[in-house]
């Protein structure tokens, strides 16, 4: 199961879930304290996924945990480290796009503000999350970022896999779910 929380403003919070079976979110609504007003909508994902085709263009949103492996010396084991700058976070997504079944659409030259601004893509909502897991003293720390942009489908099967299995790490913590909307 993949999930993501979108906060459009202080009064609007959306929980998106992609699951093999239709979820019953009653327990979440009750825990949030809104059992009388809590409601959710579910949709069958299969018909939408089956319509994806090469060349289709969609707007997308993805909250991800962009990371890379580093080491200070050849003798040291590699360590997973977050990309913290927008340029490196953007590079992370561009590096993964081909295997994920899409390519981020490039802006026309006349719309580029600076030379590096070549894709229809924004990086926003950078958050650093820290929490304790499993009774351990050392906290788990994650850097998450939300990408909004426009993509073109290059491999429908790979994109279906991305949409149902997620992109990147930290899926258990609300990362990896990509959603599409009409361009």
């Amino acid at each position: 199961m993949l999930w993501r929380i979108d906060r459009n403003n202080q009064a609007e919070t959306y929980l998106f879930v992609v699951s093999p079976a239709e979820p019953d979110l009653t327990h979440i609504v009750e825990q949030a304290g809104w059992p009388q007003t809590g409601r959710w909508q579910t949709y069958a994902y299969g018909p939408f996924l089956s319509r994806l085709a090469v060349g289709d263009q969609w707007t997308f949103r993805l909250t991800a945990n962009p990371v890379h492996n580093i080491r200070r010396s050849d003798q040291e084991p590699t360590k997973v480290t977050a990309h913290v700058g927008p340029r490196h976070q953007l590079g992370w997504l561009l590096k993964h796009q081909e295997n994920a079944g899409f390519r981020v659409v490039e802006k026309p030259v006349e719309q580029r503000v600076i030379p590096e601004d070549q894709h229809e893509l924004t990086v926003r909502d950078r958050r650093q999350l820290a929490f304790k897991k499993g009774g351990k003293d050392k906290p788990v720390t994650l850097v998450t970022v939300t990408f909004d942009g426009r993509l073109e489908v290059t491999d429908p099967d790979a994109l279906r896999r991305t949409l149902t299995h997620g992109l990147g790490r930290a899926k258990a913590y609300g990362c990896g779910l990509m959603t599409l909307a009409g361009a």
Side-chain angles (χ1 to χ4, degrees), residues 144-183:
T144 67
V145 64
T146 299
F147 298 97
D148 287 322
R150 197 157 64 101
L151 63 77
E152 180 177 327
V153 179
T154 57
D155 181 342
D157 290 331
L159 184 56
R160 285 183 197 97
R161 188 174 53 254
T162 298
L163 294 172
T164 56
H165 292 89
L167 183 61
R169 299 172 65 109
K171 294 177 186 86
Y173 305 108
C175 295
L177 173 60
M178 175 182 274
T179 51
L180 303 181

Side-chain angles (χ1 to χ4, degrees), residues 40-182:
W40 61 88
Q41 298 173 326
T42 59
Y43 302 96
Y45 211 20
F48 171 75
L49 294 173
S50 68
R51 290 193 310 265
L52 293 174
V54 172
D56 288 352
Q57 290 198 3
W58 299 91
T59 59
F60 72 91
R61 177 168 289 166
L62 167 69
T63 296
N65 171 233
V67 296
H68 63 290
N69 293 312
I70 63 166
R71 76 170 83 188
R72 289 177 275 198
S73 70
D74 290 339
Q75 293 76 33
E76 187 178 83
T78 59
K79 178 181 176 184
V80 177
T81 305
H83 285 296
V84 293
R87 188 176 95 234
H88 292 109
Q89 293 165 339
L90 172 68
W92 175 88
L93 181 61
L94 296 175
K95 177 182 171 187
H96 288 84
Q97 66 183 343
E98 183 179 341
N99 288 339
F102 66 90
R103 74 170 183 83
V104 177
V105 175
E106 290 190 13
K107 286 182 180 178
V109 176
E110 62 274 5
Q111 291 181 6
R112 297 178 187 176
V113 178
I114 56 175
E116 296 84 23
D117 182 32
Q118 58 185 329
H119 294 94
E120 293 199 24
L121 182 62
T122 58
V123 179
R124 63 179 186 82
D125 290 345
R126 181 190 176 279
R127 295 176 189 218
Q128 182 166 337
L129 309 173
F131 52 90
K132 293 190 179 188
K133 178 183 170 188
K136 295 181 181 176
D137 290 334
K138 188 176 180 187
V140 174
T141 303
L142 296 174
V143 172
T144 67
V145 64
T146 299
F147 298 97
D148 287 322
R150 197 157 64 101
L151 63 77
E152 180 177 327
V153 179
T154 57
D155 181 342
D157 290 331
L159 184 56
R160 285 183 197 97
R161 188 174 53 254
T162 298
L163 294 172
T164 56
H165 292 89
L167 183 61
R169 299 172 65 109
K171 294 177 186 86
Y173 305 108
C175 295
L177 173 60
M178 175 182 274
T179 51
L180 303 181

Side-chain angles (χ1 to χ4, degrees), residues 10-61:
Q10 284 186 328
E12 270 186 339
T13 300
Y14 293 96
L15 170 64
F16 291 91
V17 177
V18 171
S19 171
E22 184 175 333
D24 180 355
L25 304 176
T26 305
H27 62 290
I28 294 174
V29 171
E30 289 172 349
Q31 287 178 13
W34 301 310
Q36 292 81 19
T37 61
R39 61 190 182 284
W40 61 88
Q41 298 173 326
T42 59
Y43 302 96
Y45 211 20
F48 171 75
L49 294 173
S50 68
R51 290 193 310 265
L52 293 174
V54 172
D56 288 352
Q57 290 198 3
W58 299 91
T59 59
F60 72 91
R61 177 168 289 166

